[in-house]
Amino acid sequence: MTDQELSDRTGADAEAQASFRRPGKVIALHLNYPSRIAQRGRVPAQPSYFLKPSSSVAESGGVIERPVGTELLAFEGEIALVIGSPAKNVSREEAWLHVAAVTAANDFGVYDLRWADKGSNLRSKGGDGFTPLGPRLIDARSVDPTALRIRTWVDGALVQDDTTAELAFPFDQLVADLSQLITLEEGDVILTGTPAGSSVVGPGQTVEVEVDAPDAAGSPSSGRLVTTVIQGQVEPGAHGAGPQVDDLQRSEAWGSREAAGLPALPQPFELTAELREKIASVGTATLSAQLRKRGLNNVTIDGVHPTHPGERMIGRARTLRFIPNREDLFETHAGGFNAQKRAFDSLGPGDVLVIEARGEAGTGTVGDILALRAQALGAAGIVTDGGIRDLAAVTALEIPAYSQGGHPAVLGRRHVPWDTDLTIACGGTAVQPGDVIVGDDDGVLVIPPRYVEEIVEAAIVQEREETYIAERVAAGESVDGLYPMNAAWKKRYEEETR
């Protein structure tokens, strides 16, 4: 089909108020708009999709039923791409030529049914009437795909307003990506994600969605896609999974915990620059003493030595676990982008990767390439209760590392890389992701986050007192009654250090 034929047919469809036949397939994208990505708190590395049955497609002016026993029917205003000619293995440069039109869509979903979908979204988003489209088509040739606007209203109030200027995955990428494995056929529809503002609606409410190109000639518009919510008569689950909700589903359906009427979650512990500076001002020996006073004795990673004597290491724990080598498991789990490589490649600034090697020093658990990757990502350090390959090269890097020493053997001699970011054992102690890891020449400490601020403040006080004691001993005083300070010395200390 030529571009002119495609344009002529699309224009005719627009005049017919989107009278196109029911699509063969509807493919929906999970996340795309930066505003929605920020709201969800997870950044997709690549586009991911799900299918909606063609029977879910509905016209403007219809109704959608909220099933009996459910509370979380959510709307998602979206831009729909209508495929005009078959696309298979197309490049990004030619992808837009296969799009005949864009129009408005509403990707409705019932969050009460997500738990049973296991990510497919079939039950939660595949119901009859759950994909309204229209009412008019906008000729794809008449618009810039990066200059479209999507708006949604609920009962006349504007709740979504965004553009396609900064999508995570531009429309040409979606078409090209999907066409690598799936032939996109004439009439197929791609839903391209929703911006922030999606929320819950109930019976009696009306949702309207419009797509337009305000800067294009004639400001073409899809018109408002209108859907009214009514109460259904059937409760799903008579022959399978029924509705279930929890606070996570409520917060995601409404858009936030606040909107869902849920209490705010406690703020996660943050290892701030100020707190790092305080930790750096005291030694691990002092921190260990304060942990011991609070009943925490098993918090040292034993048997490890630094590549950079005299330096401090402070960061939050990320974890990697090796299991004993078994040839069949090594064959299935050690190749490709395995757990070891994933762990190193996912490190962020301030992370310390702690590796469980079961105290097995008879092989390397990290070499210079992976250590260099950790350094490039801004990680704060590496700790393993096994060995290090390429020890001289790792030592020459800026990133500090702690281990039992060097060993030339490769990983497969003793280990299979197994899993990441879970509670592990390293050097005789338990380490959880998020623990604060502190290392110096005396060794490596694991501090549970809830104790950090209290421990550090007490350690600062202790070191001040010990500095005073050391000065007095250097001046010739006996340690009797001075170390530790008795009441008389304590009084004198307080008077002299006011």
Side-chain angles (χ1 to χ4, degrees), residues 15-48:
E15 293 176 4
Q17 300 289 299
S19 60
F20 51 90
R21 67 180 185 273
R22 176 179 286 178
K25 51 185 172 286
V26 179
I27 303 173
L29 182 70
H30 282 109
L31 290 171
N32 203 2
Y33 287 81
S35 61
R36 179 72 160 181
I37 290 170
Q39 192 177 46
R40 281 288 194 254
R42 53 182 184 270
V43 180
Q46 301 293 342
S48 62

Side-chain angles (χ1 to χ4, degrees), residues 330-400:
F330 191 85
E331 182 177 352
T332 57
H333 287 76
F337 197 51
N338 60 37
Q340 181 195 39
K341 293 177 181 175
R342 293 197 305 273
F344 276 91
D345 213 49
S346 66
L347 293 174
D351 288 342
V352 173
L353 184 61
V354 183
I355 303 171
E356 175 183 337
R358 307 176 315 284
E360 173 55 71
T363 188
T365 57
V366 56
D368 58 338
I369 298 298
L370 290 180
L372 180 61
R373 178 59 175 157
Q375 176 177 295
L377 292 170
I382 302 164
V383 180
T384 173
D385 61 355
I388 291 179
R389 291 186 73 220
D390 312 306
L391 181 60
V394 173
T395 301
L397 296 175
E398 294 178 2
I399 187 170

Side-chain angles (χ1 to χ4, degrees), residues 42-97:
R42 53 182 184 270
V43 180
Q46 301 293 342
S48 62
Y49 313 90
F50 59 94
L51 285 170
K52 299 192 76 171
S54 60
S55 55
S56 69
V57 172
E59 297 181 0
S60 181
V63 298
I64 182 172
E65 294 186 4
R66 187 182 72 176
V68 173
T70 66
E71 62 177 88
L72 301 177
L73 173 65
F75 64 86
E76 294 183 7
E78 304 203 12
I79 297 172
L81 310 183
V82 182
I83 298 299
S85 60
K88 178 64 176 177
N89 291 323
V90 301
S91 66
R92 289 187 64 170
E93 290 72 23
E94 61 183 339
W96 192 246
L97 297 175

Side-chain angles (χ1 to χ4, degrees), residues 204-223:
Q205 293 189 284
T206 298
V207 186
E208 301 171 90
V209 184
E210 181 183 9
V211 173
D212 66 351
D215 298 326
S219 301
S221 168
S222 68

Side-chain angles (χ1 to χ4, degrees), residues 381-439:
I382 302 164
V383 180
T384 173
D385 61 355
I388 291 179
R389 291 186 73 220
D390 312 306
L391 181 60
V394 173
T395 301
L397 296 175
E398 294 178 2
I399 187 170
Y402 290 73
S403 73
Q404 291 204 56
H407 200 284
V410 296
L411 190 70
R413 183 168 184 258
R414 292 284 189 267
H415 304 297
V416 179
W418 199 250
D419 42 21
T420 64
D421 289 326
L422 73 168
T423 300
I424 63 168
C426 183
T429 193
V431 182
Q432 293 190 302
D435 284 342
V436 174
I437 308 298
V438 183

